[in-house]
Amino acid sequence: MDPENLSSFISDRVLVNGKVVPLTFTRDGKLRWNHDDRRCLNVEKEVLGFTFEGSRIRVNVAVEKRDGILCFANMGGIARQSFVFEPLSEESLTLWSQKLRDYIDSLGRPKRLLIFVNPFGGKKCATKIFVEDVRPCLEDADIQFTVIETKHQLHAKEVVKTLDLSKYDGIVCVSGDGILVEVINGLLEREDWSDAIKMPIGMVPAGTGNGMVKSLLDSVGEICSPSNAILAVIRVLLTGHTRSLDVATISQGKTRFFSVLMLAWGLIADIDIESEKYRWMGSARIDFYALQRITYLRHYNGRVSFVPAPGFEEYGEQTIYSGEPSCETRTSQQESLNTQQPGYLGSDVKLENMHWRTISGPFVSIWLHNEPWGSEDVLAAPNAMFSDGYLDLIIVKDIPKLSLLSLLSKMNDGSHVHCPHVMYLKVKAFVLEPGARIDDPMKEGIIDSDGELLARGNVTYKGNVKCSMAYDKLQITVDQGLATLFAPV
């Protein structure tokens, strides 16, 4: 049923907080009443659901107050509230109940979510966040949900690869960015990936970085908090609005990894991965280890090649596409992973027909970003967009240590990209050829994608995580708007 074509509306007198007031439900889905100040609710956008409690009807809403008027929040002051009214007769109660149910049903709201909760991420508070912030909102909205607590790395990916997606209208990750990446990779490794990747995915911040959910909420001026995040998901469920997300395919031989956040090599990767040994410090580990890396700054040999977006053709020197990385020259623990799997194989763009540019090292840092915020307090790529079909590339070559310290201190507002030692541009495709450290050619570096160790070179970071790729040439292409997110509007 089309909400605009509902045959009638109700105007009646009801009890609100012991006072009899007029209440009207209009054809366009507005609840209006007079109580102290005139108030109005847009049922489609603001009402989570209705609860029928004997002779009373409770309206569960997500609102903020402005000048005494209940209205939908868009600046971060979102709160769960309820408005309770009591019709004055049994006949009126029946009519109100039926009309409200009919209207909610006519909206065709999705009702089933799969929730991944990562109890090990960040400060290990995801379970508490789910219980205190997420579940009450879902119950208010009468949304059915299934909860899976992840038990180990790649657990969410394993679940999603074989999941019966027809049972759900969306997936929500109560975690850091890592579970989102697992879900995206799981969907794209399915045989039915082209349909599976249309499944909307939502985020609730409960990890160390939370860059994606910060980017989503910040894009509409909302504070990054669990309550704002889950209410944003529910509002999308209520209105049906979603947002497309670019997916980058990182390839090396037959190995594929699907990235939605970032790729780093050099300083940023070293800080992100090597600071894991200080995880007990929480998010402070990043700043602590960054000071160490600046003090003993590393420079890496290597080369990057890229297809610049229009307007960025002046960066680098002209070159030609040298072919997809085969990684035949190096053998490693990755070989067992390099078998062809069913699923998405990456963009089919003809790279050899594109205009390539190249820049040679030494480099301090190479950083590619798909969304603006790298974490809740790092605006890594202020011009990045969710589905523009490009990655934002930040290059730092030679830079004095004091200038580098100043640069890092400006990352909280994105002004670091204006530093004269920074090259900041957009690229459609990218090839990384990582090399050894300048100070010690026997030592190589780390390649970090979406906060996880993708590859490590000789005599470098030692960890228990197996790398999916070798420390060698790799290629990145972008598929515009491939994935779908629950996004605030």
PDB file of all heavy atoms in Angstrom, residues 129-130 133-134 172-176 202-207 210 213 225-227 229-230 233:
ATOM      1  N   ILE A 129      28.471  -2.569  24.472  1.00  0.00           N
ATOM      2  CA  ILE A 129      27.840  -1.612  23.566  1.00  0.00           C
ATOM      3  C   ILE A 129      26.591  -2.215  22.937  1.00  0.00           C
ATOM      4  O   ILE A 129      25.556  -1.541  22.811  1.00  0.00           O
ATOM      5  CB  ILE A 129      28.841  -1.173  22.483  1.00  0.00           C
ATOM      6  CG1 ILE A 129      29.882  -0.225  23.097  1.00  0.00           C
ATOM      7  CG2 ILE A 129      28.136  -0.499  21.310  1.00  0.00           C
ATOM      8  CD1 ILE A 129      31.014   0.130  22.166  1.00  0.00           C
ATOM      9  N   PHE A 130      26.672  -3.486  22.556  1.00  0.00           N
ATOM     10  CA  PHE A 130      25.494  -4.125  21.973  1.00  0.00           C
ATOM     11  C   PHE A 130      24.348  -4.165  22.978  1.00  0.00           C
ATOM     12  O   PHE A 130      23.202  -3.811  22.654  1.00  0.00           O
ATOM     13  CB  PHE A 130      25.812  -5.541  21.497  1.00  0.00           C
ATOM     14  CG  PHE A 130      24.582  -6.293  21.060  1.00  0.00           C
ATOM     15  CD1 PHE A 130      24.004  -6.013  19.835  1.00  0.00           C
ATOM     16  CD2 PHE A 130      23.996  -7.225  21.891  1.00  0.00           C
ATOM     17  CE1 PHE A 130      22.844  -6.672  19.437  1.00  0.00           C
ATOM     18  CE2 PHE A 130      22.835  -7.886  21.507  1.00  0.00           C
ATOM     19  CZ  PHE A 130      22.259  -7.614  20.277  1.00  0.00           C
ATOM     20  N   ASP A 133      23.419  -0.176  24.014  1.00  0.00           N
ATOM     21  CA  ASP A 133      23.076   0.808  22.983  1.00  0.00           C
ATOM     22  C   ASP A 133      22.322   0.230  21.798  1.00  0.00           C
ATOM     23  O   ASP A 133      21.386   0.864  21.295  1.00  0.00           O
ATOM     24  CB  ASP A 133      24.353   1.492  22.463  1.00  0.00           C
ATOM     25  CG  ASP A 133      25.048   2.310  23.528  1.00  0.00           C
ATOM     26  OD1 ASP A 133      24.472   3.318  23.956  1.00  0.00           O
ATOM     27  OD2 ASP A 133      26.170   1.955  23.927  1.00  0.00           O
ATOM     28  N   VAL A 134      22.740  -0.939  21.340  1.00  0.00           N
ATOM     29  CA  VAL A 134      22.195  -1.470  20.096  1.00  0.00           C
ATOM     30  C   VAL A 134      20.882  -2.208  20.313  1.00  0.00           C
ATOM     31  O   VAL A 134      19.867  -1.898  19.674  1.00  0.00           O
ATOM     32  CB  VAL A 134      23.223  -2.394  19.413  1.00  0.00           C
ATOM     33  CG1 VAL A 134      22.626  -3.011  18.149  1.00  0.00           C
ATOM     34  CG2 VAL A 134      24.489  -1.617  19.084  1.00  0.00           C
ATOM     35  N   VAL A 172      24.955  -5.859  10.339  1.00  0.00           N
ATOM     36  CA  VAL A 172      25.515  -4.781  11.154  1.00  0.00           C
ATOM     37  C   VAL A 172      26.719  -5.316  11.916  1.00  0.00           C
ATOM     38  O   VAL A 172      26.660  -6.398  12.503  1.00  0.00           O
ATOM     39  CB  VAL A 172      24.471  -4.206  12.136  1.00  0.00           C
ATOM     40  CG1 VAL A 172      25.111  -3.174  13.067  1.00  0.00           C
ATOM     41  CG2 VAL A 172      23.319  -3.576  11.365  1.00  0.00           C
ATOM     42  N   CYS A 173      27.814  -4.560  11.901  1.00  0.00           N
ATOM     43  CA  CYS A 173      29.046  -4.951  12.582  1.00  0.00           C
ATOM     44  C   CYS A 173      29.247  -4.066  13.808  1.00  0.00           C
ATOM     45  O   CYS A 173      29.465  -2.857  13.661  1.00  0.00           O
ATOM     46  CB  CYS A 173      30.243  -4.817  11.647  1.00  0.00           C
ATOM     47  SG  CYS A 173      30.055  -5.645  10.049  1.00  0.00           S
ATOM     48  N   VAL A 174      29.160  -4.646  14.995  1.00  0.00           N
ATOM     49  CA  VAL A 174      29.477  -3.934  16.230  1.00  0.00           C
ATOM     50  C   VAL A 174      30.932  -4.250  16.521  1.00  0.00           C
ATOM     51  O   VAL A 174      31.263  -5.261  17.138  1.00  0.00           O
ATOM     52  CB  VAL A 174      28.558  -4.372  17.385  1.00  0.00           C
ATOM     53  CG1 VAL A 174      28.833  -3.543  18.648  1.00  0.00           C
ATOM     54  CG2 VAL A 174      27.093  -4.243  16.982  1.00  0.00           C
ATOM     55  N   SER A 175      31.811  -3.387  16.031  1.00  0.00           N
ATOM     56  CA  SER A 175      33.233  -3.742  15.990  1.00  0.00           C
ATOM     57  C   SER A 175      34.024  -2.541  15.512  1.00  0.00           C
ATOM     58  O   SER A 175      33.487  -1.450  15.317  1.00  0.00           O
ATOM     59  CB  SER A 175      33.441  -4.910  15.027  1.00  0.00           C
ATOM     60  OG  SER A 175      33.131  -4.511  13.700  1.00  0.00           O
ATOM     61  N   GLY A 176      35.318  -2.770  15.271  1.00  0.00           N
ATOM     62  CA  GLY A 176      36.118  -1.811  14.527  1.00  0.00           C
ATOM     63  C   GLY A 176      35.922  -2.045  13.049  1.00  0.00           C
ATOM     64  O   GLY A 176      34.969  -2.715  12.612  1.00  0.00           O
ATOM     65  N   GLY A 202      25.940  -2.169   7.929  1.00  0.00           N
ATOM     66  CA  GLY A 202      26.016  -1.050   8.849  1.00  0.00           C
ATOM     67  C   GLY A 202      27.139  -1.234   9.850  1.00  0.00           C
ATOM     68  O   GLY A 202      27.633  -2.345  10.051  1.00  0.00           O
ATOM     69  N   MET A 203      27.550  -0.126  10.473  1.00  0.00           N
ATOM     70  CA  MET A 203      28.652  -0.147  11.423  1.00  0.00           C
ATOM     71  C   MET A 203      28.238   0.528  12.734  1.00  0.00           C
ATOM     72  O   MET A 203      27.567   1.551  12.727  1.00  0.00           O
ATOM     73  CB  MET A 203      29.860   0.599  10.856  1.00  0.00           C
ATOM     74  CG  MET A 203      30.495  -0.020   9.634  1.00  0.00           C
ATOM     75  SD  MET A 203      31.351  -1.538  10.031  1.00  0.00           S
ATOM     76  CE  MET A 203      32.599  -0.929  11.168  1.00  0.00           C
ATOM     77  N   VAL A 204      28.664  -0.071  13.853  1.00  0.00           N
ATOM     78  CA  VAL A 204      28.548   0.547  15.173  1.00  0.00           C
ATOM     79  C   VAL A 204      29.947   0.552  15.766  1.00  0.00           C
ATOM     80  O   VAL A 204      30.585  -0.498  15.870  1.00  0.00           O
ATOM     81  CB  VAL A 204      27.581  -0.230  16.086  1.00  0.00           C
ATOM     82  CG1 VAL A 204      27.581   0.369  17.491  1.00  0.00           C
ATOM     83  CG2 VAL A 204      26.167  -0.216  15.505  1.00  0.00           C
ATOM     84  N   PRO A 205      30.493   1.730  16.143  1.00  0.00           N
ATOM     85  CA  PRO A 205      31.894   1.798  16.576  1.00  0.00           C
ATOM     86  C   PRO A 205      32.149   1.065  17.881  1.00  0.00           C
ATOM     87  O   PRO A 205      31.556   1.366  18.913  1.00  0.00           O
ATOM     88  CB  PRO A 205      32.129   3.307  16.738  1.00  0.00           C
ATOM     89  CG  PRO A 205      30.781   3.884  17.005  1.00  0.00           C
ATOM     90  CD  PRO A 205      29.826   3.038  16.209  1.00  0.00           C
ATOM     91  N   ALA A 206      33.060   0.082  17.824  1.00  0.00           N
ATOM     92  CA  ALA A 206      33.421  -0.674  19.024  1.00  0.00           C
ATOM     93  C   ALA A 206      34.837  -1.215  18.890  1.00  0.00           C
ATOM     94  O   ALA A 206      35.173  -2.239  19.485  1.00  0.00           O
ATOM     95  CB  ALA A 206      32.436  -1.826  19.257  1.00  0.00           C
ATOM     96  N   GLY A 207      35.666  -0.525  18.101  1.00  0.00           N
ATOM     97  CA  GLY A 207      37.032  -0.978  17.892  1.00  0.00           C
ATOM     98  C   GLY A 207      38.031   0.117  18.183  1.00  0.00           C
ATOM     99  O   GLY A 207      37.719   1.110  18.836  1.00  0.00           O
ATOM    100  N   ASN A 210      37.686   2.634  13.881  1.00  0.00           N
ATOM    101  CA  ASN A 210      36.317   3.068  13.571  1.00  0.00           C
ATOM    102  C   ASN A 210      36.277   4.132  12.476  1.00  0.00           C
ATOM    103  O   ASN A 210      35.425   5.030  12.489  1.00  0.00           O
ATOM    104  CB  ASN A 210      35.616   3.599  14.830  1.00  0.00           C
ATOM    105  CG  ASN A 210      35.647   2.613  15.982  1.00  0.00           C
ATOM    106  OD1 ASN A 210      35.384   1.428  15.795  1.00  0.00           O
ATOM    107  ND2 ASN A 210      35.993   3.082  17.164  1.00  0.00           N
ATOM    108  N   VAL A 213      32.800   4.181  10.118  1.00  0.00           N
ATOM    109  CA  VAL A 213      31.595   4.732  10.744  1.00  0.00           C
ATOM    110  C   VAL A 213      31.792   6.198  11.092  1.00  0.00           C
ATOM    111  O   VAL A 213      30.855   7.000  11.014  1.00  0.00           O
ATOM    112  CB  VAL A 213      31.182   3.890  11.971  1.00  0.00           C
ATOM    113  CG1 VAL A 213      32.190   3.981  13.091  1.00  0.00           C
ATOM    114  CG2 VAL A 213      29.795   4.303  12.463  1.00  0.00           C
ATOM    115  N   SER A 225      29.258   7.914  17.683  1.00  0.00           N
ATOM    116  CA  SER A 225      28.927   7.225  18.931  1.00  0.00           C
ATOM    117  C   SER A 225      28.091   6.001  18.599  1.00  0.00           C
ATOM    118  O   SER A 225      27.441   5.946  17.548  1.00  0.00           O
ATOM    119  CB  SER A 225      28.141   8.144  19.870  1.00  0.00           C
ATOM    120  OG  SER A 225      26.842   8.389  19.363  1.00  0.00           O
ATOM    121  N   PRO A 226      28.093   4.985  19.470  1.00  0.00           N
ATOM    122  CA  PRO A 226      27.289   3.788  19.200  1.00  0.00           C
ATOM    123  C   PRO A 226      25.806   4.088  19.012  1.00  0.00           C
ATOM    124  O   PRO A 226      25.161   3.534  18.125  1.00  0.00           O
ATOM    125  CB  PRO A 226      27.544   2.912  20.435  1.00  0.00           C
ATOM    126  CG  PRO A 226      28.899   3.327  20.916  1.00  0.00           C
ATOM    127  CD  PRO A 226      28.958   4.807  20.666  1.00  0.00           C
ATOM    128  N   SER A 227      25.245   4.976  19.850  1.00  0.00           N
ATOM    129  CA  SER A 227      23.817   5.263  19.739  1.00  0.00           C
ATOM    130  C   SER A 227      23.499   5.955  18.424  1.00  0.00           C
ATOM    131  O   SER A 227      22.515   5.616  17.750  1.00  0.00           O
ATOM    132  CB  SER A 227      23.349   6.117  20.918  1.00  0.00           C
ATOM    133  OG  SER A 227      24.075   7.327  20.989  1.00  0.00           O
ATOM    134  N   ALA A 229      25.180   5.701  15.690  1.00  0.00           N
ATOM    135  CA  ALA A 229      25.427   4.758  14.595  1.00  0.00           C
ATOM    136  C   ALA A 229      24.263   3.793  14.408  1.00  0.00           C
ATOM    137  O   ALA A 229      23.812   3.567  13.280  1.00  0.00           O
ATOM    138  CB  ALA A 229      26.721   3.984  14.858  1.00  0.00           C
ATOM    139  N   ILE A 230      23.770   3.205  15.489  1.00  0.00           N
ATOM    140  CA  ILE A 230      22.681   2.236  15.333  1.00  0.00           C
ATOM    141  C   ILE A 230      21.388   2.937  14.950  1.00  0.00           C
ATOM    142  O   ILE A 230      20.590   2.409  14.163  1.00  0.00           O
ATOM    143  CB  ILE A 230      22.490   1.366  16.603  1.00  0.00           C
ATOM    144  CG1 ILE A 230      21.512   0.217  16.315  1.00  0.00           C
ATOM    145  CG2 ILE A 230      22.038   2.199  17.786  1.00  0.00           C
ATOM    146  CD1 ILE A 230      21.933  -0.707  15.187  1.00  0.00           C
ATOM    147  N   VAL A 233      21.489   3.388  11.293  1.00  0.00           N
ATOM    148  CA  VAL A 233      21.126   2.148  10.603  1.00  0.00           C
ATOM    149  C   VAL A 233      19.614   1.973  10.587  1.00  0.00           C
ATOM    150  O   VAL A 233      19.015   1.665   9.550  1.00  0.00           O
ATOM    151  CB  VAL A 233      21.793   0.932  11.285  1.00  0.00           C
ATOM    152  CG1 VAL A 233      21.214  -0.371  10.745  1.00  0.00           C
ATOM    153  CG2 VAL A 233      23.295   0.964  11.073  1.00  0.00           C
TER     154      VAL A 233
END
